Amino acid sequence: MTLEYVNDELSINGHGLSNIAKEHGTPLFVYDENKIRNQCRKYHNVLKNAGLDYSISYASKAFTSVQMVKLLQEENMKLDVVSQGELFTAVKAGFDAKDIHFHGNNKTQEEVKYALEAGIGLIVVDALDEVELIDSIATADIDVLLRINPGVDVDTHEFIQTGQEDSKFGLSIHNGSALKAVNAIKESKHLKFKGVHYHLGSQLDAEAPFINALESVYKWLSDESIEIEVLNMGGGYGVKYIESDLRFPVESAFKNIIDRLNSLSRAYDMQIPHVMIEPGRSIVAEAGTTIYEVGVIKDIPGLSKYVSIDGGMSDHLRTPLYDAEYEVVPVNKTYSDNVNTHVVGKLCESGDIIGKNLNVPGDLKRGDLLAVKTTGAYHYSMASNYNQMRKPAVVFVNDEGARTIIKRQTLEQIIENDIL
Ligand SMILES: *Cc1c(COP(=O)(O)O)cnc(C)c1O
């Protein structure tokens, strides 16, 4: 563990979080840079050792910034983007557009044009009419994958399930629409069909859905005589937010997934494709921690105790959005007993909650710091200016210390697009 108490102070790579908070202010996102790099390396090792031709594309939507993209480049990662803004961020960081692929269930004409001009490596076609859209804009050949829907149900929150039959993403392999799109791609002028993509959902804790998907997809490819060079099996590898969560077992699960891929390729007499995966959350979630300062404390006799912090749903949306649960700990350990407490934000919504019925020290007082763990994914990237809150600063901590990678928004920036 690189996030641990050192002399009763929560620290990352030996650097105490209270000093970092004092220097950078709160709310603050603090990332363990070593941990992000180690996650990238873990995926590389597993796929490399399996002897596969592979690539690992980080899903930008989990958390992106110019410095994050630079780190990914150093770790030989490729990139998945879902909007012009994510692509712009990558291009500004000097990332080679050939190593980026473009996703999205409704890419605009402007986005397709921008991606093609940037020299994007791959576009993932998500709908039949996108074939025509891309073909009408492209002036040269462009490699594409087709996002298919293998119809695999997964056991995760409804809002983060994506591979089921009734979905806004992809085209079904069971009702003929995926096949129709493959044929349309093959008949188009500029689109070159390279293979298929699917993403089953997020926060998956075992390999079973990936194996089920492989079986359905291989059968479909064989039934329809479709040859692929690339198989992109998406992301969704789960992380540990709270004690009862199971972390996706990357090493053992990928061993089983790749064994099945090899045996299916043999059984159907198909070439083993180039394998792409798209982890987002599992690269950054556990590396990130949010630090807040405690303000008002309300003890409602016989009912509840509320501890309010200086941020909220403007930087912590997953709890209001999906009831996601987190572990909250004091930055400076105290030895008082834990008390059942609701830790809440300062925004004007009752749903602005960090966690209900948490166990935090009973002697917390105004000015103390609280750390919310495992906030590296889908926190900063989902941050908003609701209540005209400023987006927090983000720092990376490595062995040498902390460095700002995103500055805190200024008040002036809150109104920078307003007509004065
Ligand atoms: C969200 C998403 C990912 C990443 O999911 P994680 O749960 O963050 O790993 C990958 N691919 C696609 C297409 C996605 O929509």
Side-chain angles (χ1 to χ4, degrees), residues 59 61-62 80 82 103 147 162 169 197-199 201-203 234-237 278-282 377-378:
K61 69 177 178 182
D80 141 6
V82 298
H103 268 300
R147 179 162 184 167
T162 45
F169 297 107
H197 162 272
Y198 49 84
H199 174 70
S202 276
Q203 189 56 5
Y237 315 106
E278 303 170 327
R281 183 189 317 264
S282 56
Y378 305 103

Side-chain angles (χ1 to χ4, degrees), residues 15-28:
H15 301 280
L17 294 185
S18 27
N19 272 340
I20 292 175
K22 199 178 285 169
E23 186 181 338
H24 298 270
T26 55
L28 183 68

Side-chain angles (χ1 to χ4, degrees), residues 370-389:
L370 281 178
V372 183
K373 292 179 164 183
T374 318
T375 59
Y378 305 103
H379 276 254
Y380 189 85
S381 63
M382 286 187 170
S384 77
N385 292 125
Y386 182 47
N387 283 194
Q388 300 289 66
M389 291 287 285

Side-chain angles (χ1 to χ4, degrees), residues 51-64:
L52 280 181
D53 181 25
Y54 75 93
S55 51
I56 308 168
S57 301
Y58 169 74
S60 303
K61 69 177 178 182
F63 168 66
T64 192

Side-chain angles (χ1 to χ4, degrees), residues 50 57 64 89 106 112 123 125 137 142-143 162 181 199 243 257 266 273 342 382 386 390-391 395 401 404:
S57 301
T64 192
T89 305
N106 184 22
V112 171
I123 296 183
V125 171
I137 298 169
I142 173 75
D143 289 344
T162 45
H199 174 70
E243 202 47 45
I257 294 168
R266 266 197 309 276
H342 303 323
M382 286 187 170
Y386 182 47
R390 297 185 280 158
K391 287 194 195 173
V395 300
T404 304

